[in-house]
Amino acid sequence: MEYKKTEKEILKAIVKYDGEVKSLAEVLNKSKLLEKRGIAIVPNKHPNFIFLSKDRYSEDEKDALGYVTELISLIESLIKNRLIVIIPFQSSHVLVVGKMKSEYGNRPGLIRINDGKEYVVFKSENWGELVSSTGEQTHWIFTCSDEYVALEKILNSYFTVSEELKDLVMHNFKTEEQRRFSKQQFATWFSIAVAIIIGLLGILNR
């Protein structure tokens, strides 16, 4: 299977942090893949909240939302092909994916981000805002349930990585078959080159 550049970045991060962290949410936070794109996710099942930075995106942004669905689609494909295994036990719950540090605030309906630099403020069960320390709304909000995009189910569960995926990443996304073919091709061209050189030397020595 051929992977796109963005997919390779995700796969490299999954393999790199396997064993160091327990969940894919922690992988995304360690690698800063979402943070660099100005994306933050609050996995909440019904609904999940996706926040997009107003500094980077317009209100009707599609590319960033496409990245989130592409991320989950890739992970679902890895699960289907048993390249990673999701274990049906939740790890330490990451409240905000895409922000290095998040914790519950000092009152209900409040998540404190990066020691109070930002907050998620829940206005109701179905609505929340990501705001600065001064209360300014800094992100657009989008919602979806786990039935459509399984953010909570996938991101906050334990996972393990197969040796096959580790091997694939280690060899720059070339399968064993592709590597074998490359070696055979190299050996063939090397043999041809040697034969040509021997032939030339034979002509010169006449």
Side-chain angles (χ1 to χ4, degrees), residues 58-197:
S58 61
E59 188 173 1
D60 58 352
E61 179 61 41
K62 292 182 180 179
D63 288 346
L65 295 174
Y67 180 82
V68 173
T69 53
E70 180 182 69
L71 165 70
I72 297 302
S73 177
L74 173 62
I75 294 170
E76 287 176 334
S77 174
L78 295 174
I79 294 168
K80 182 179 178 180
N81 293 303
R82 300 197 63 78
L83 292 173
I84 65 172
V85 175
I86 296 294
I87 304 168
F89 297 100
Q90 284 211 332
S91 67
S92 300
H93 192 82
V94 175
L95 299 178
V96 183
V97 186
K99 299 290 183 180
M100 280 303 294
K101 184 179 179 183
S102 57
E103 58 194 351
Y104 286 113
N106 55 8
R107 62 178 174 81
L110 189 70
I111 296 176
R112 190 168 178 257
I113 299 170
N114 293 336
D115 299 318
K117 292 179 181 176
E118 295 176 290
Y119 294 88
V120 173
V121 181
F122 291 100
K123 303 292 186 178
S124 69
E125 288 185 2
N126 299 310
W127 191 260
E129 295 178 355
L130 204 163
V131 300
S132 67
S133 57
T134 59
E136 178 188 1
Q137 189 176 351
T138 57
H139 289 65
W140 307 111
I141 179 175
F142 298 85
T143 62
C144 67
S145 72
D146 251 37
E147 291 156 6
Y148 291 98
V149 184
L151 294 169
E152 166 67 10
K153 178 182 177 181
I154 285 175
L155 294 181
N156 268 322
S157 296
Y158 282 96
F159 78 101
T160 59
V161 177
S162 71
E163 291 301 320
E164 185 180 350
L165 181 57
K166 292 176 184 177
D167 188 64
L168 186 66
V169 171
M170 185 175 70
H171 290 95
N172 200 28
F173 298 95
K174 289 184 178 179
T175 64
E176 187 176 349
E177 184 179 338
Q178 288 171 324
R179 297 197 301 271
R180 192 183 305 115
F181 175 77
S182 294
K183 287 178 182 178
Q184 289 172 345
Q185 194 174 45
F186 175 79
T188 300
W189 283 111
F190 182 78
S191 299
I192 292 170
V194 169
I196 291 171
I197 291 169

Side-chain angles (χ1 to χ4, degrees), residues 193-205:
V194 169
I196 291 171
I197 291 169
I198 291 172
L200 290 171
L201 288 174
I203 293 170
L204 293 173
N205 288 330

